[in-house]
Amino acid sequence: MIRVVLALFALFVLVGAAVANDQGGGVLVYGGSGKAGWGIMADVPQGWTSDCCTYAKAIGVNLALYQGEWTGKPERVILLNVWDRTLPTLQAELDADRRQYMQRDPKATIEPLPIVASANMVCKGVFYRGSDHEDDAVVFCEPPTSSGVRVSWSMTVADADPERSNLLKIFAHIAGRANYMSCRSGCSSTPNARGH
């Protein structure tokens, strides 16, 4: 019982810390199998909406961050996806993603996307310049090996978007500052989110 109380206290302290940042707030997205749960704390920029359970669920991701109202278009939407680890390494995930992208768009170009990873996840980024003038920033992160999951952040942005540079900075900030948390017992099996 004391562990549960201490864990809840730590969670509220972390949520409070996310609220106190200068970007507008934070969100905690969580899920798990009941044996090993996970949580991701992420900043939410001022004026952005965090959605785990309506649009995000409909498109099959754990979290969607977007400005203002949902448009249904992929541009300017930051997506978080958490899945059970199936490939042996983070590099293997990145390589598989590159292959899939190039199969869809053989004329695309690929560049590394520098990302400063959080203290408790190793992250690698890639930037796809699509031949359709829609570009994709993708960051794959690996929480501690015992978690059994991998994490990705992604965002599509148009070449001609006047806010492109700022949007990519926001994306890098969110992906780079995301914080992984784990739960070993008494975890919820339903992905969810709490925002503040």
Side-chain angles (χ1 to χ4, degrees):
M1 180 64 171
I2 291 174
R3 282 188 193 168
V4 172
V5 171
L6 289 174
L8 287 173
F9 176 76
L11 178 62
F12 286 117
V13 168
L14 286 171
V15 171
V19 172
N21 75 53
D22 63 355
Q23 295 296 314
V27 64
L28 169 64
V29 183
Y30 57 91
S33 65
K35 293 181 182 177
W38 55 264
I40 304 287
M41 284 287 300
D43 291 339
V44 178
Q46 190 169 3
W48 287 58
T49 300
S50 62
D51 172 84
C52 74
C53 306
T54 305
Y55 303 115
K57 189 174 185 178
I59 60 175
V61 297
N62 300 92
L63 178 70
L65 300 173
Y66 52 91
Q67 292 175 297
E69 296 296 319
W70 179 258
T71 66
K73 296 179 183 177
E75 294 88 6
R76 297 179 165 213
V77 178
I78 298 174
L79 302 173
L80 168 68
N81 203 2
V82 181
W83 67 97
D84 290 334
R85 194 176 286 177
T86 55
L87 296 177
T89 65
L90 186 63
Q91 187 62 47
E93 296 283 2
L94 194 57
D95 292 344
D97 191 66
R98 285 178 177 149
R99 279 191 302 275
Q100 289 174 1
Y101 195 95
M102 293 307 290
Q103 285 174 350
R104 285 191 321 263
D105 187 356
K107 294 181 181 179
T109 59
I110 301 174
E111 301 169 13
L113 179 66
I115 192 79
V116 177
S118 70
N120 63 358
M121 287 194 287
V122 174
C123 297
K124 293 184 177 187
V126 63
F127 191 73
Y128 300 107
R129 291 189 182 273
S131 62
D132 61 355
H133 304 287
E134 295 285 322
D135 301 334
D136 295 288
V138 182
V139 173
F140 287 93
C141 297
E142 184 157 44
T145 306
S146 61
S147 72
V149 298
R150 290 223 168 87
V151 174
S152 70
W153 293 94
S154 61
M155 180 180 68
T156 299
V157 62
D159 274 350
D161 191 320
E163 292 294 314
R164 177 186 175 87
S165 178
N166 188 48
L167 289 166
L168 290 172
K169 285 178 187 174
I170 290 169
F171 173 79
H173 172 87
I174 291 169
R177 286 187 42 123
N179 192 7
Y180 171 81
M181 295 177 287
S182 65
C183 176
R184 301 213 188 281
S185 65
C187 305
S188 169
S189 61
T190 306
N192 208 338
R194 295 188 133 171
H196 296 276

